[in-house]
Amino acid sequence: THSPVEQMLKPRFVTKDPALWQFAVDVYEHCIFGRMQPGEPPLKHPWLVPGGVYVGQWIWDTTFLTDLLAIVPEQREFIRGIYQNYWDFQARWAAAKPTYAQGMVANFIARDSGPAGFGGKDWLTHPVYSQAPLLAWGVERVYKRNQDIKLVRLALPHLEAFHNWYWRE
């Protein structure tokens, strides 16, 4: 019997090595599809959890996981939603912060149900910071894999705002 993940990967991966095939299936079952989470405030869209104690949408994990997920064309809407969570946070941040902070994208977005000091409700007081412009890299990687120009068009104004903030601050 073949799992749904094996069926989905079969036309996308070619190997004669059964161990390598099983490794690819395991990675997708556990590290990609097994990490999908439904939207939960403040995340309006589904997201990918990295696992362990770090529950939330983290910028590094998001970009690496969406890079691999983009191999599956049926996941375009899911990927757009993942990135939309960042753009939603960017707008919420800009509405609450002074001009110099406009355009910043947080390194992670915590769920409102997270623990005290580490939950989404603490986003104004938690020491949120940003990191290197990984989201632009992530969007580029997704585009290279699935040519989702809609994702690029949705992301561009937010990435430009982040670029301006990053180089200014």
Side-chain angles (χ1 to χ4, degrees), residues 120-141:
K121 292 179 180 177
D122 305 314
W123 68 277
L124 276 171
T125 57
H126 186 78
V128 173
Y129 60 94
S130 194
Q131 295 177 341
L134 290 169
L135 292 175
W137 176 85
V139 169
E140 177 189 33
R141 293 291 303 166

Side-chain angles (χ1 to χ4, degrees), residues 32 48 58-71 79 83 86-87 105 131-146 148 151-152 155-156 158-160 162-163 166:
I32 308 292
L48 294 162
W58 292 78
I59 206 165
W60 284 84
D61 304 274
T62 295
T63 54
F64 292 123
L65 294 175
T66 58
D67 180 25
L68 293 173
L69 189 58
I71 292 169
I79 293 170
Y83 283 95
Y86 284 110
W87 317 145
V105 175
Q131 295 177 341
L134 290 169
L135 292 175
W137 176 85
V139 169
E140 177 189 33
R141 293 291 303 166
V142 169
Y143 177 76
K144 284 182 174 184
R145 291 203 188 275
N146 70 13
D148 187 357
L151 172 67
V152 175
L156 193 56
H158 304 284
L159 293 173
E160 287 178 339
F162 177 64
H163 170 81
Y166 189 80

Side-chain angles (χ1 to χ4, degrees), residues 20-42:
L20 185 57
W21 171 252
Q22 191 57 53
F23 176 72
V25 169
D26 289 346
V27 165
Y28 273 81
E29 282 181 348
H30 303 290
C31 301
I32 308 292
F33 292 109
R35 302 274 180 211
M36 292 177 161
Q37 301 291 313
E40 178 183 341

Side-chain angles (χ1 to χ4, degrees), residues 60-98:
W60 284 84
D61 304 274
T62 295
T63 54
F64 292 123
L65 294 175
T66 58
D67 180 25
L68 293 173
L69 189 58
I71 292 169
V72 184
E74 299 82 18
Q75 296 300 319
R76 284 183 174 183
E77 287 295 323
F78 185 84
I79 293 170
R80 287 181 201 144
I82 291 169
Y83 283 95
Q84 186 62 48
N85 287 325
Y86 284 110
W87 317 145
D88 292 347
F89 186 91
Q90 186 183 47
R92 182 172 63 154
W93 178 265
K97 294 294 184 175

